[in-house]
Amino acid sequence: MVKRKRPSVDKFKEFVRTHPGLTNQVKAGKYSWQQLFEEWYLLGGSHEKWIPYMEEKEDQKVEETKSTDTGDMVSTLVNTFKNMDVAQIQQYISNANQALGAIQGILTSFQGDKSVKEEPKKIETRQNPFVFKKD
């Protein structure tokens, strides 16, 4: 059976799209979606509580237009590096290094170790065990 959503859920989703600051609050762990839905349902979408979250959207638009107008790649890169987790990047590099080491080991096992020079096979001349010398 297909579960049908209540119309209020769709209205809440539209409300969240117009107030992107709420998404940041949930990501920060200050609220859960359930808490926000209940407050929205009780207070309504026009309550003064939601005004700061609407203004964040306007601030974000202004910041986006500034960054696209200037085309300054350096500031974009600096912001990207600020948000990176160095320990997590180090873990990714370590995992990649281990994977490359494993691949290299497999390749050398299939190719054989070429660093060890093979001695050319000498044709052995067998000496006759029954050597008779003339006196």
Side-chain angles (χ1 to χ4, degrees):
M1 287 182 105
V2 177
K3 257 187 171 177
R4 300 210 182 256
K5 289 189 271 184
R6 297 185 305 194
S8 59
V9 173
D10 291 330
K11 290 178 184 176
F12 179 69
K13 285 183 179 181
E14 185 61 35
F15 174 76
V16 170
R17 283 187 202 108
T18 59
H19 296 77
L22 295 173
T23 305
N24 296 334
Q25 295 293 319
V26 171
K27 287 180 181 177
K30 294 181 181 176
Y31 293 102
S32 70
W33 286 115
Q34 183 66 36
Q35 290 171 332
L36 289 175
F37 177 78
E38 289 172 359
E39 288 184 26
W40 171 80
Y41 193 76
L42 294 174
L43 299 175
S46 60
H47 193 266
E48 62 188 34
K49 176 182 179 155
W50 311 118
I51 293 173
Y53 304 113
M54 182 179 269
E55 291 174 359
E56 284 185 26
K57 180 179 179 182
E58 293 171 3
D59 292 342
Q60 288 175 354
K61 282 184 180 178
V62 170
E63 289 176 14
E64 288 175 5
T65 55
K66 285 181 184 177
S67 65
T68 55
D69 289 344
T70 59
D72 191 11
M73 292 299 291
V74 175
S75 65
T76 305
L77 288 173
V78 169
N79 289 336
T80 303
F81 286 123
K82 283 182 183 177
N83 295 333
M84 287 185 179
D85 183 16
V86 178
Q88 190 176 20
I89 292 171
Q90 182 65 32
Q91 183 66 31
Y92 290 147
I93 292 171
S94 175
N95 290 343
N97 189 23
Q98 289 175 353
L100 289 174
I103 291 170
Q104 186 178 13
I106 292 171
L107 290 176
T108 54
S109 69
F110 283 124
Q111 293 175 348
D113 194 9
K114 293 187 177 185
S115 63
V116 175
K117 295 181 180 177
E118 294 181 20
E119 294 180 15
K121 293 183 180 178
K122 295 180 182 178
I123 300 174
E124 294 181 20
T125 55
R126 274 196 151 156
Q127 294 179 352
N128 191 354
F130 304 106
V131 177
F132 298 105
K133 292 186 178 178
K134 290 184 182 177
D135 288 302

